[in-house]
């Protein structure tokens, strides 16, 4: 893929989704443009946002915003070779699958929770009665809030236990591998960045999101109190040209000279979304993710894992 595994990670701030910092980009420039010092006295120095520049975080309890270590370029699982990289990748997808609230089959959520429990807690208890015993795991750590609210707590604990028990003697690295494999499938794809877009009109009843993944660029919609549902996907090989102007990222498609505009709240967000899409388009084009050899390579990796001892 012409991308070193260490390069798939980056430092990011939470700003209309994750805003990744370029090595050549000075953080103080972002702070000067989007943060102002408040008059409130604070030993650490308190920063908040100007009234005319709202953001997810209204104030920050330090001289600089919090910076997070995250995956910058999501990959198919067959591109991950190092064990340490796989573990960090697993941790990122674990956060995504709980936080994103993406719609997928309930059995997928049950199976993902089972893989995560096996990877983090080991084998399930030999005996467990959810009606009379306290659960051996916290559901909020393994399921999205919407999923928990939609299920009976006893039934959720029981079916989770059944799925978890089926993985007995599965070692950590193998459980993590299967978690990543399932969490990157087309119909259960948590292997992506998710950014909010401006609504098409003020009267629009649903929110609009854009996802950036190895599969391409995906549009999502979310009605109030409902799941985030995919509506349209643009594959990387369908994209001809990408550019941005002010707070809008534009993608020109190869077919019929079509174009799609994605409007964000601010120019800074659009600029970083443009950079992310451009880089992903470049790397995914090199990797030829839709090629047949990718499936063959994944099969070889699965065979390699399955032949290792599970003790």
């Amino acid at each position: 893929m012409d991308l070193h595994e260490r390069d798939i990670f980056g430092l990011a701030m939470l700003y209309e989704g994750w805003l990744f910092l370029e090595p050549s980009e000075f953080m103080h420039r972002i702070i000067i443009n989007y943060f102002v010092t408040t008059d409130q006295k604070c030993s650490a120095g308190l920063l908040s946002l100007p009234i005319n520049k709202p953001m997810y975080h209204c104030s920050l309890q330090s001289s600089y915003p919090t910076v997070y270590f995250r995956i910058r370029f999501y990959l198919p699982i067959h591109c991950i070779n190092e064990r340490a990289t796989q573990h960090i990748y697993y941790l990122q997808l674990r956060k995504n699958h709980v936080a994103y609230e993406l719609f997928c089959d309930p059995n997928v959520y049950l199976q993902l929770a089972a893989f995560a429990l096996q990877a983090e807690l080991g084998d399930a208890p030999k005996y467990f009665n959810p009606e009379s015993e306290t659960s051996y795991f916290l559901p909020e750590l393994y399921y999205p809030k919407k999923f928990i609210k939609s299920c009976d707590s006893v039934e959720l604990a029981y079916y989770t236990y059944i799925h978890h028990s089926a993985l007995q003697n599965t070692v950590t690295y193998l459980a993590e591998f299967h978690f990543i494999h399932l969490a990157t499938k087309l119909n259960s794809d948590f292997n992506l960045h998710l950014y909010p877009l401006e609504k098409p009109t003020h009267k629009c009843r649903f929110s609009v999101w854009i996802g950036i993944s190895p599969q391409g660029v995906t549009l999502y919609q979310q009605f109030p109190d409902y799941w985030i549902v995919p509506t349209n996907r643009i594959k990387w090989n369908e994209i001809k040209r990408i550019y941005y102007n002010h707070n809008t990222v534009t993608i020109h498609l190869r077919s019929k000279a079509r174009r799609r505009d994605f409007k964000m709240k601010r120019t800074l967000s659009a600029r970083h979304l443009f950079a992310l899409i451009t880089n992903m388009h470049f790397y995914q084009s090199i990797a030829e993710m839709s090629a047949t050899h990718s499936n063959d390579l994944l099969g070889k990796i699965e065979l390699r894992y399955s032949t290792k001892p599970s003790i």
Side-chain angles (χ1 to χ4, degrees):
M1 193 171 174
D2 198 28
L3 184 67
H4 296 292
E5 291 196 6
R6 66 176 181 272
D7 296 328
I8 71 175
F9 304 103
L11 298 178
M13 296 165 47
L14 187 56
Y15 179 91
E16 288 188 301
W18 294 102
L19 184 154
F20 285 87
L21 305 177
E22 299 292 342
S24 60
E25 190 170 30
F26 293 101
M27 190 180 297
H28 74 269
R29 293 180 180 175
I30 297 176
I31 294 173
I32 290 174
N33 291 331
Y34 292 89
F35 293 82
V36 293
T37 306
T38 65
D39 295 331
Q40 183 177 350
K41 300 298 182 182
C42 178
S43 58
L46 184 66
L47 291 176
S48 68
L49 292 167
I51 295 176
N52 62 341
K53 292 183 179 179
M55 193 168 117
Y56 282 130
H57 295 294
C58 293
S59 64
L60 298 166
Q61 299 295 329
S62 65
S63 299
Y64 293 95
T66 303
V67 176
Y68 299 85
F69 179 77
R70 292 179 60 86
I71 292 174
R72 182 171 186 175
F73 301 114
Y74 285 99
L75 310 170
I77 191 172
H78 65 261
C79 292
I80 303 174
N81 297 313
E82 298 295 331
R83 172 70 185 100
T85 304
Q86 176 189 293
H87 178 64
I88 298 174
Y89 209 93
Y90 159 78
L91 293 176
Q92 182 66 75
L93 293 187
R94 275 278 285 117
K95 290 182 179 294
N96 292 358
H97 112 272
V98 171
Y100 276 179
E101 296 186 343
L102 295 179
F103 176 80
C104 65
D105 191 295
N107 287 320
V108 171
Y109 276 119
L110 287 168
Q111 192 62 63
L112 287 173
F115 285 138
L117 285 166
Q118 185 66 27
E120 297 165 14
L121 303 183
D123 290 343
K126 291 185 178 180
Y127 305 101
F128 173 62
N129 185 351
E131 294 184 350
S132 59
E133 300 178 38
T134 302
S135 180
Y136 64 95
F137 66 93
L138 296 175
E140 59 269 26
L141 297 182
Y142 297 91
Y143 292 105
K145 292 180 180 179
K146 290 186 187 303
F147 190 82
I148 296 174
K149 290 180 180 179
S150 66
C151 299
D152 177 81
S153 59
V154 174
E155 288 187 355
L156 179 60
Y158 172 75
Y159 285 113
T160 303
Y161 171 67
I162 295 299
H163 281 74
H164 186 190
S165 298
L167 300 174
Q168 186 175 5
N169 294 330
T170 302
V171 293
T172 297
Y173 67 81
L174 187 55
E176 291 182 355
F177 172 84
H178 286 302
F179 182 99
I180 296 173
H181 189 195
L182 180 57
T184 56
K185 287 183 175 293
L186 193 60
N187 294 326
S188 55
D189 192 4
F190 299 93
N191 192 35
L192 52 80
H193 295 289
L194 200 60
Y195 293 92
L197 296 175
E198 287 279 77
K199 292 183 178 181
T201 64
H202 293 293
K203 296 182 179 180
C204 184
R205 294 173 48 239
F206 55 84
S207 301
V208 184
W209 301 77
I210 184 172
I212 314 300
S213 77
Q215 306 291 344
V217 177
T218 305
L219 282 178
Y220 297 83
Q221 68 179 25
Q222 182 184 29
F223 285 91
D225 300 321
Y226 195 65
W227 296 96
I228 297 177
V229 181
T231 58
N232 186 31
R233 176 175 285 113
I234 303 173
K235 296 180 180 179
W236 292 115
N237 59 9
E238 297 174 346
I239 296 176
K240 181 179 181 180
R241 186 169 66 253
I242 311 160
Y243 66 89
Y244 84 96
N245 183 27
H246 297 298
N247 63 337
T248 302
V249 176
T250 299
I251 295 178
H252 282 266
L253 304 179
R254 297 183 184 278
S255 61
K256 300 179 181 179
R258 293 173 54 198
R259 56 176 278 181
R260 297 296 301 270
D261 295 324
F262 305 105
K263 188 176 181 180
M264 307 195 78
K265 291 184 178 180
R266 295 175 184 81
T267 300
L268 179 66
S269 302
R271 177 162 60 88
H272 280 77
L273 180 64
F274 162 77
L276 181 63
I277 294 177
T278 301
N279 287 327
M280 285 287 287
H281 182 236
F282 172 75
Y283 289 126
Q284 301 300 337
S285 297
I286 292 177
E288 296 179 347
M289 295 307 166
S290 60
T292 305
H293 73 270
S294 297
N295 292 328
D296 295 337
L297 183 56
L298 179 57
K300 292 178 182 178
I301 294 174
E302 289 179 316
L303 180 62
R304 182 186 68 191
Y305 274 106
S306 63
T307 55
K308 289 186 178 182
S310 58
I311 56 175

